[in-house]
Each structure stands twice: as C-alpha cells, then as structure tokens.
Amino acid sequence: MRYAETGFNLEVDLTRGNIEKVATDPRDTALYLGGLGTNAKILWDRVGPEVTPFSPENLLIFSAGLLCGTPATGCNRTILSTISPQTELMAFSMMGGFWAPELKYAGYDKVVLRGKSEKLVYLWIHNDTVEIRDASHLAGKGSVETAEMIRQELKQPKAQVAAIGLAGENRVYYASVEQGRSSASRGGIGAVMGDKRVKAIAVRGTKDINLAKPEEFITLCNDVLAYIKHREDNPIKGVMTILQGLGSPQEMKVHDEKWHTENFMWGNSRTRRKGFWNEEIEEAWTDTLEGARTRLISCFNCPMKCGATISMPGVPTYMMKCFTKLTYTMAAYSDLDFGLRIAQKATEYGLDGFSTPQVMAFALELLEAGILKPDDFPGLPESNEDRFFYLLDMIVNREGIGDVLAKGTYWAAKEIGNGAEEYAHNTIKKHEQLPLKLSMLNPIYFLMYAVGEKINITQIEGQFPQAPFPKREHREKFCEDWIQVPHEKFKQYFIDWELRGENSIPYYPTVEMTCDIVEWQEMMHYIDDALGQCAGLSSFPLKPPYHIHNYPKFISAGAGIDMDEETLSDAAKRYRTLVRAVNIRRGMRREDDRPPENHWKKRFPELEEKLLDGYYQLKGWNKEGIPTKEALEKMGLGYVADDFIQRGILTEDETADVQTETQTQ
Amino acid sequence: MAGKTKEKKIVKTIKIDVDKCNGCRACEVICSAFHASPKYSSNNPARSRIRIIREPLRDIYVPVYAGEYTMAECAGRDKYTIDGKEYDECSFCRASCPSREEFKEPDSGLPLKCDMCEGEDEPLCVKWCLVDALTLEEREEEVEEQEEMEDLELGLESLADKFGIQTMMDTLARMSKDDKSK
C-alpha cells in the first residue's frame, strides 16, 4: 500500500481526448518526494528545451503535495508546473485552498495535461469517473463565476474547482489559475491552461488517504497545533507587525499599512511616498476594509485566517489574500476602495495581482513619456481610476495596445521600442517583481533575488530575520527558543549582526554566512513545495511550527519513507538542482541571475559576484551556474550530467572550477 | 439490546458558533481519522461525523455533527433567514437521511453518528478547532436514557430498514455457512 500519496497520476491527452490512470514509481517519491519534486522530474523527462510554452508538447501539471490530504495542519497546496510564456523557463506556482486534498481523496496525486483541445473543455474528476466535458457555455466567464456554474451544473456543491478567467483563455502571459480563496498566479500558468483550451478542473473525492504510522503522525500534528497556539500567545517582538505571527502576511486583518505604503514603490515601481501614511488615511482605509470584509477565512485544515471574503456594494463577492490588497491601489496612486474593487474584476479575469498593476502603470507612464501615443488608447477615460479599469479590459481582451501589454513589461517594451525598455525596470528573468527600491544592498536578499527560480521573493525568504535587531541582548533573547535552526552556527550569525559598523550589511553576513542562510531558507521552501505545506506555517514566518527537525518525522510516519534530516536535505537539494537543470537546458545562465539594476541605490558589483560564486560553489555549480557532472552524479542526477555533456552544455572533465579559483585568490 | 437505566451522567454538548467558523474543515479531517480502523490509520472527510455546510460566497459556514439515523426524509424543506442569510433546513439538520450524502459511509452508505470521541478528554473536532467555533459544554444530569447504539447496531438497523429483517437473517445464515465451509 502507498501511504500519504495515492500512487496514481491522471494523464490527460487533450488532443486525443484520452484519459489514463497511471501508477507511479515509489522510488521517484523517495528521491523527489512529491509535488514540485516529482513535477520537476516529469518536466525534465518529458519536456525538452525545444518545447515552447504554447506548444501541445508543453505539459501542465496540477500536483498535490506529498502530505496533502493527511491530517498535517496547513498542508493543502496544489503545485502547478509548466513552461512559462513569460520567462520561457519552468514555472511552479502554488495555490492553497481546497483543491489538492480533494484530488487526493479522489485517488490521484497529479493531473498531467498534455496536447491541446480543439474546443474549450473542462475536466470533471469524481473518484474513478473522469470526463472531459464541453465548456463552450463557460467561454468568457469569470473564474469565480465558472466555479459556481460548474458546481450547479454537476449538482456537486462540494466539488472543488480550479478555473481560469478570460485572461487565461486569451493567453495573457500573467494569467492565473483561481480556486476558492486562492490562486496560482506567477509565471502565467493560466495562459498555458487557456492555450490547452481547458477552462477548469473540477474534482470531488470520497476515498481514504492512509498513513504509515498513524499514532506517531497524529502526535506530530498535535505538537504542531500546540506550537501554533504557543506562537499566537507569544508574538515575536522587535519585527514589523506582519512578521510577528504565523500564517502568510495577515493583510486582510491588519489596518496599519504604513510600512508597505511608505517603503514599497507606487506606480510602475517608480515613486516612494515617505510620509504618506497619516491618521486620516488610516481611518479611511480601516473603514473601507471593515466595510468590505465579511469574514476572515482559511484554507483546508488550517487554523490561520490569511484570506477574507470581500463584499462591496455593487460588486460581486470574491475572496482575497495577502498583498494584492495594495498592489492595484499603489499602482494607480489611488485608495483602498479602488484597490478592492478592481481586484474583484481582476480575480474574475484570472490575473496575477503582482504583475498586472505594474503593467497598467507602465502603459500610462509610456503614454506620459510620449513613447506610446494617445492613438494607442482610443476612448481613454479622463479619471485615473477609470483608466485602470479601461486598461484591464484592453489587456484581457487583447485589444489594440492591450495585445502587446498582455505579454508583460519585458516583452511589451521590446515590442514597443523607442526607449520603452527603460520603463520595464522591475523584472527578474523577464518577470515583474515586488515594487521595491531600496538603499543599501542586503547580501542575503541580493542572493535570494538573484538565484530564486520561483520568481517571487516571498516564496524564497523566511526563517532568518530580515534585519538585525538593534540590541545584542534582544538578539540573544531571540535565539533562546530558536529551535528551528538546522545548525547552531545560525544563532551566532544573527547575534553578531549589527545595524552599523563592521558587522553590518553589505559585508556582514559574510559571503559564506550569506550562502548558508540563503541555502537554509531556500531548502525550507523547496521542502514545503514538495510536501504541499503552506509556507505560512513553515518556510515564510519566523519560528514556524514545521522545520527541518520535525519534517523528517512527518514524512516517515506519513508516507512510510525512511527519512532523516540529511536524507531530506539531500532530496530537497536534488530537485532544486533539477529545476535549475530544466532551466539551464532552456538556456538560463549566470547572466540571468540578477535583480533589477535599480533595486538598490548602493550596489557592490564585486561583492555581488563573490556572492554568486560562493553560492554556486556551495551548490556544486560551475562559474556559469551550471551544475557540474561531479555534483550531479553525487545527487543521483547522472542522467542530467549525461544530457548536459551530450548537448555540449558541460564538458566531460568539468569540475567546480569556482572552487579552485576562489582558493587561489 | 439497549436497556433503560436512571443515573447521574455528564452530558456532553458541542456548542457551535457559526460566526467563528473559518471553514477549514480540520474537524472533518480529525473526526474521520479518529474513527478509522486502526485508529488514525486513514482519513477521509466523507466519512466524518461532523460536516461543515460551507458556502463562502454567501458567507454560510455551519458545522453540524451527526445525530440520528432516519429511514425517511422529511416532507418539506423549509428555508430560514437569519441575519439576512438564507439557510436551507438541511444546513442545520443532524440526521443521516435518504436525501443527503452527509453522515453516511461513502462506500457502503451506512449511517454514521457522532459519539463525542468516546475515550478522549474532549471530542477531537473541538480539540482541533483552534478558532473556537466548536467548544465543549458539559453538565451533570440525572437522566433516564437508552444506551447509545453502537456503530454496528446503527448499521444493522439501516440495513434492516433497507432490505427487511428476514432477508438480512437469510443472508447472514448463508454467509456464516459459506464461512464454515472455508
């Protein structure tokens, strides 16, 4: 018997309309765990570098994490993987909600879509009955609307539906897949779903998920619940409000937006508005949120309330989470009321709340600069807010200039030319990032931004505080119950970290320490993404209930795979490298590992190179960021090495040349 | 079969606060895990003895735990409007009845009933509800009551209702005969 996982994937060939239930190899689970790990393996095996995002050969994988559907608190994430139209690299966006556990209960770990349907369809998975159904009546419908219509049509109120809106149908490069109170937004996964002509996947399951060592597993779950209570009663002092507790940032709960509105950039990541936040605004925004928010809500099997139901007069009810609360507001220099209203429309269209507002602000900046002309915007409304609604429709319907803007700032700027590229200034690997412009380079964040292949800083950071605490005694106090550290050395790194002087950024933490810290944070996120655990109870907040010391026990007791800390770290490193390998094979190199030029005012080019060298060395990659044959073979990825050598990406005798060079310096 | 006794007894009630429910369904997960055999060896919310009637877009979140098995469904379905929200009568009903899939084993269709997680300090749905939508209330009462029916009795009763006692007995006799011949 397979434990925690079902041992079956659904393979759907949309071109032929064929559906197969395929048994998976438990050895792959031991090596790559599940979720992101086995997704990466499938993409490596089956999607060559010649496959373009909108080709029928591109796969779109919906995967439940390894522990989804077990009683592990907060383990509910669906990991979607494909080749992104925007970055042309591997995209692996995640969504919480209720979909992944339902898929497990229906008897499957993954749904692998290949080919392309001729007409718009949706998938209905009900235990052993799986159908491809006509969705022509759902064309153009909103994502929330679609989910409701499908539930009614099937007479299955308990079905969980993941759907795209019009943006996905029209292949907007930053289209999302929406589901309940959650969405997979980054990387344009919704566009690939739309290209395959799949409007939605509805699932309902009533089968059992088994555990290998039941009593042990439930004890672990009870410990996690007790720790969540403990953390709720003991918020972390000395850090900003949203970092004090657990869960993803409690944007739907907090009213104090001083930090975001004064430190993040407004417009297309252009203007910092120091002193913006005042009592009047706080009062108005508090009223808006309290008037709009019906209830704080959770994902499957999780006590945290990170999302909210939003109902505003004249606007259909929708669900919202996290920082999208502010992205539209800040892009348009408007207020929260506008932000929440346009986010409703954008959610129905199925759009990434990070990229979309920036693209719209970018378009208006180009108009202001004379790079785009009034003719490009026929019938442009007068008011600022109306202009954003207008642009949203243009982009989603791909009308006129909207057709170009639908490709994101990087590609749109290239197409528009005439100096537009300078305005596409906030991308990493061609993808829009959080609107930040900071002062002094922070080595930890530099490295996370540069090498993060998840394209979203909040999906890489966590565990280690973002800045030193002013006083040593506070830092020592913080370390007293810091049980999550994989090694005691991290405590010393933090205790010695000062705001000013020798032990301050950018030269402290040192290159070596920075690499250690980044590797730890990255590892935790990668583990979460294989297990299906929400980062909000694990890799994102400080002092979370899940960590490297209890995770191996969860996997052993849950999935029945012998696991200790070393084996787990090795597995995470293995599929992290495999994601890298997929991207290297698609042409990604050191050149691509860099944050936007103007991300920090004070840059340190030499230090930045050393940080990259140090990180590559730690990973066993060569100077170009390509995993070496030696390192690959050590991880059990000899097949990747063979492929690289065959393609001339690596030479036979290439070793970690970075190491030799660093040593001789 | 169940006899009648008169004794002092702690009566357990699960108090439900629908305003606090966040719709996470942890109660369903742990309930089905506790009642698995062996205990915790599997979970499946469809086997849970507590269900959340959940309609996020209408802000309806009603945890309901399983009560009596009933052979027949009720004649009508009343609607209730509370705080401007319209609820179907089924949203509050605890019965395992022919017209709903709640509180039935998904494979056999046999009815399920909440047993307050006998043997535990408190029902596990209460323990796992960190948002306090479910809380345990206990009071001492002198009650004359029928002993609780066990799962097996509950199942047998529903089978008897469906197939008739005679058919069941014939089948049992045949099954035990088949068993002996093995």
Side-chain angles (χ1 to χ4, degrees):
Chain A
M1 192 198 288
R2 297 281 273 273
Y3 298 104
E5 62 180 351
T6 66
F8 293 98
N9 288 348
L10 263 186
E11 291 275 352
V12 182
D13 183 335
L14 295 155
T15 309
R16 293 167 51 220
N18 188 49
I19 301 166
E20 276 174 67
K21 178 179 178 176
V22 180
T24 57
D25 188 340
R27 285 173 300 186
D28 278 346
T29 315
L31 288 172
Y32 309 96
L33 304 182
L36 172 63
T38 33
N39 279 11
K41 178 72 167 65
I42 292 172
L43 284 182
W44 172 269
D45 287 346
R46 292 167 54 183
V47 182
E50 70 290 348
V51 175
T52 54
F54 294 146
S55 114
E57 284 77 37
N58 188 12
L59 299 181
L60 174 58
I61 311 170
F62 283 68
S63 179
L66 178 60
L67 297 182
C68 288
T70 72
T73 298
C75 200
N76 49 43
R77 301 213 113 195
T78 313
I79 299 94
L80 286 82
S81 308
T82 190
I83 302 301
S84 158
Q86 194 160 6
T87 64
E88 298 183 338
L89 302 171
M90 176 174 166
F92 48 108
S93 199
M94 282 85 49
M95 55 189 184
F98 293 77
W99 199 89
E102 199 70 35
L103 183 72
K104 282 283 194 76
Y105 297 130
Y108 313 97
D109 300 315
K110 295 183 199 291
V111 180
V112 183
L113 303 176
R114 68 173 187 274
K116 231 184 245 203
S117 166
E118 238 172 73
K119 51 179 193 174
L120 196 64
V121 295
Y122 76 91
L123 230 65
W124 167 226
I125 304 168
H126 189 196
N127 296 326
D128 294 321
T129 311
V130 185
E131 301 166 33
I132 299 174
R133 297 173 67 109
D134 177 56
S136 48
H137 59 300
L138 299 170
K141 300 285 180 202
S143 60
V144 181
E145 201 182 358
T146 296
E148 282 308 300
M149 285 175 74
I150 289 177
R151 270 191 280 264
Q152 281 178 21
E153 170 175 318
L154 297 170
K155 296 191 175 57
Q156 290 284 345
K158 291 191 176 76
Q160 301 295 341
V161 184
I164 53 168
L166 190 55
E169 282 182 56
N170 287 342
R171 307 196 299 188
V172 174
Y173 283 16
Y174 36 95
S176 60
V177 177
E178 301 282 329
Q179 173 249 145
R181 49 132 295 155
S182 201
S183 68
S185 291
R186 307 250 83 194
I189 284 170
V192 176
M193 191 160 160
D195 181 65
K196 296 199 171 302
R197 310 298 294 145
V198 176
K199 179 71 179 170
I201 307 183
V203 59
R204 170 80 181 124
T206 57
K207 296 187 188 184
D208 301 342
I209 292 296
N210 301 301
L211 294 175
K213 296 173 209 158
E215 295 275 356
E216 242 179 272
F217 195 86
I218 294 295
T219 305
L220 289 164
C221 294
N222 283 325
D223 291 347
V224 159
L225 285 173
Y227 192 81
I228 291 172
K229 271 189 185 166
H230 164 78
R231 279 287 273 103
E232 282 206 334
D233 298 338
N234 298 280
I236 289 174
K237 290 172 191 147
V239 295
M240 67 182 102
T241 328
I242 56 163
L243 294 177
Q244 289 174 3
L246 295 171
S248 70
Q250 305 284 299
E251 280 297 302
M252 296 299 111
K253 201 157 84 182
V254 300
H255 294 306
D256 178 4
E257 290 296 356
K258 183 179 168 65
W259 191 80
H260 278 132
T261 53
E262 295 193 351
N263 286 289
F264 281 31
M265 300 292 128
W266 294 63
N268 173 30
S269 190
R270 280 282 160 189
T271 317
R272 183 167 174 188
R273 297 172 84 184
K274 274 187 182 174
F276 166 80
W277 194 249
N278 59 34
E279 261 179 45
E280 199 186 320
I281 289 171
E282 178 158 19
E283 209 174 295
W285 288 29
T286 301
D287 283 352
T288 301
L289 189 61
E290 302 229 312
R293 190 182 62 198
T294 318
R295 181 186 295 250
L296 291 171
I297 52 174
S298 297
C299 295
F300 183 80
N301 191 22
C302 180
M304 308 313 299
K305 294 177 281 185
C306 309
T309 319
I310 304 285
S311 295
M312 304 176 86
V315 178
T317 301
Y318 72 110
M319 287 167 269
M320 168 172 265
K321 58 272 151 193
C322 208
F323 188 57
T324 305
K325 174 188 174 187
L326 297 184
T327 53
Y328 291 96
T329 294
M330 290 175 67
Y333 297 89
S334 187
D335 58 15
L336 189 58
D337 183 79
F338 161 77
L340 295 180
R341 281 175 193 279
I342 197 167
Q344 183 276 326
K345 209 164 184 205
T347 303
E348 283 289 29
Y349 279 151
L351 283 164
D352 176 10
F354 279 25
S355 287
T356 313
Q358 283 189 52
V359 175
M360 294 192 290
F362 160 81
L364 293 175
E365 276 183 13
L366 293 185
L367 175 65
E368 211 172 292
I371 296 170
L372 285 175
K373 306 290 175 209
D375 286 356
D376 293 316
F377 303 90
L380 185 70
E382 277 300 310
S383 96
N384 177 43
E385 280 80 7
D386 288 346
R387 288 183 169 192
F388 275 79
F389 276 103
Y390 163 92
L391 279 171
L392 194 67
D393 285 338
M394 292 266 283
I395 290 168
V396 169
N397 290 301
R398 299 197 80 147
E399 279 167 26
I401 193 69
D403 190 44
V404 180
L405 296 170
K407 295 174 182 171
T409 55
Y410 175 88
W411 297 107
K414 267 189 178 313
E415 221 167 302
I416 295 164
N418 195 21
E421 276 169 294
E422 280 201 22
Y423 291 79
H425 64 130
N426 195 38
T427 59
I428 296 177
K429 299 181 173 79
K430 308 181 179 65
H431 206 303
E432 293 79 13
Q433 301 296 313
L434 278 180
L436 276 169
K437 298 281 165 286
L438 303 163
S439 167
M440 170 79 81
L441 177 112
N442 174 328
I444 307 173
Y445 274 73
F446 165 79
L447 204 49
M448 287 191 297
Y449 269 118
V451 300
E453 279 162 72
K454 301 178 73 171
I455 308 298
N456 190 358
I457 193 70
T458 57
Q459 294 294 327
I460 306 160
E461 66 182 342
Q463 306 295 310
F464 202 80
Q466 295 190 4
F469 297 175
K471 286 189 180 160
R472 190 179 181 91
E473 62 201 75
H474 294 153
R475 301 196 292 269
E476 280 169 350
K477 181 97 188 130
F478 179 84
C479 290
E480 274 172 14
D481 61 351
W482 202 6
I483 54 165
Q484 291 80 359
V485 288
H487 191 281
E488 288 295 304
K489 67 183 175 188
F490 289 101
K491 293 184 179 173
Q492 205 55 51
Y493 292 174
F494 183 60
I495 288 172
D496 293 340
W497 195 14
E498 304 276 357
L499 270 175
R500 274 166 209 90
E502 218 172 282
N503 276 8
S504 68
I505 59 170
Y507 293 107
Y508 188 97
T510 63
V511 170
E512 196 190 339
M513 292 173 189
T514 301
C515 292
D516 283 347
I517 294 165
V518 170
E519 181 165 75
W520 169 30
Q521 306 198 83
E522 183 186 76
M523 173 180 76
M524 294 319 298
H525 278 283
Y526 273 82
I527 294 173
D528 288 346
D529 298 347
L531 304 186
Q533 178 61 51
C534 172
L537 286 179
S538 179
S539 47
F540 183 76
L542 296 165
K543 298 185 181 173
Y546 290 98
H547 43 78
I548 191 63
H549 308 302
N550 62 5
Y551 258 154
K553 296 176 192 165
F554 268 96
I555 298 169
S556 301
I561 301 168
D562 274 342
M563 194 58 74
D564 55 27
E565 290 178 25
E566 202 188 332
T567 317
L568 180 56
S569 310
D570 285 350
K573 204 169 177 178
R574 183 176 299 118
Y575 58 81
R576 191 272 172 268
T577 307
L578 200 51
V579 170
R580 181 79 182 180
V582 170
N583 289 340
I584 289 289
R585 197 169 62 171
R586 299 190 69 83
M588 194 182 79
R589 294 294 181 270
R590 184 187 185 108
E591 166 74 5
D592 301 292
D593 283 345
R594 55 173 183 171
E597 292 303 325
N598 59 357
H599 194 90
W600 290 277
K601 242 186 242 157
K602 291 177 197 151
R603 295 291 284 258
F604 298 82
E606 264 181 50
L607 174 63
E608 291 174 17
E609 294 308 311
K610 278 188 186 153
L611 284 163
L612 279 184
D613 285 345
Y615 176 83
Y616 289 177
Q617 183 186 332
L618 182 70
K619 293 282 183 191
W621 302 351
N622 71 15
K623 238 182 150 62
E624 266 304 313
I626 303 168
T628 61
K629 184 182 175 196
E630 190 191 350
L632 287 165
E633 281 176 346
K634 215 169 131 195
M635 281 179 235
L637 298 175
Y639 59 90
V640 173
D642 294 346
D643 184 277
F644 280 179
I645 289 164
Q646 209 181 346
R647 289 175 193 274
I649 293 170
L650 274 182
T651 54
E652 188 71 52
D653 54 353
E654 202 159 358
T655 50
D657 52 2
V658 175
Q659 201 171 356
T660 342
E661 225 167 273
T662 322
Q663 278 166 355
T664 53
Q665 269 173 4
Chain B
M1 194 53 200
K4 285 190 176 182
T5 51
K6 191 165 186 172
E7 57 180 19
K8 274 196 174 170
K9 203 184 162 198
I10 303 287
V11 176
K12 292 180 177 178
T13 321
I14 298 173
K15 193 180 154 200
I16 296 164
D17 187 338
V18 293
D19 290 333
K20 284 187 180 161
C21 179
N22 59 356
C24 80
R25 300 169 61 198
C27 50
E28 296 180 9
V29 172
I30 192 60
C31 173
S32 65
F34 177 79
H35 290 97
S37 182
K39 204 191 265 187
Y40 305 125
S41 61
S42 67
N43 92 94
N44 176 357
R47 293 188 199 284
S48 172
R49 295 149 197 232
I50 181 161
R51 297 307 301 256
I52 301 184
I53 310 291
R54 190 177 162 278
E55 287 183 54
L57 296 179
R58 293 171 61 211
D59 196 43
I60 287 175
Y61 295 84
V62 189
V64 188
Y65 59 102
E68 297 304 317
Y69 153 73
T70 67
M71 201 171 103
E73 58 192 300
C74 48
R77 288 280 194 286
D78 292 337
K79 300 264 186 198
Y80 296 87
T81 305
I82 305 167
D83 288 340
K85 283 181 260 180
E86 193 181 76
Y87 297 84
D88 191 277
E89 189 170 8
C90 288
S91 303
F92 305 109
C93 182
R94 298 174 51 210
S96 165
C97 90
S99 67
R100 68 197 300 201
E101 64 176 54
E102 267 86 4
F103 310 136
K104 281 177 199 155
E105 290 283 4
D107 24 29
S108 64
L110 293 175
L112 297 162
K113 190 179 168 190
C114 171
D115 58 1
M116 297 272 167
C117 295
E118 220 175 297
E120 295 289 315
D121 294 340
E122 58 182 338
L124 295 187
C125 55
V126 172
K127 185 177 174 186
W128 274 46
C129 183
L130 295 197
V131 297
D132 293 334
L134 305 173
T135 44
L136 179 66
E137 281 192 347
E138 287 181 315
R139 59 178 189 275
E140 203 178 44
E141 258 181 29
E142 194 164 292
V143 284
E144 187 179 311
E145 66 154 3
Q146 209 151 347
E147 270 174 38
E148 288 290 316
M149 258 203 280
E150 286 179 9
D151 281 357
L152 181 60
E153 284 178 73
L154 199 65
L156 286 174
E157 190 181 298
S158 80
L159 286 177
D161 286 338
K162 190 169 177 185
F163 298 107
I165 286 269
Q166 195 54 50
T167 315
M168 262 180 74
M169 283 167 63
D170 292 349
T171 311
L172 273 174
R174 197 169 58 245
M175 279 169 73
S176 56
K177 200 173 145 201
D178 285 355
D179 207 32
K180 269 181 210 159
S181 64
K182 270 178 197 166

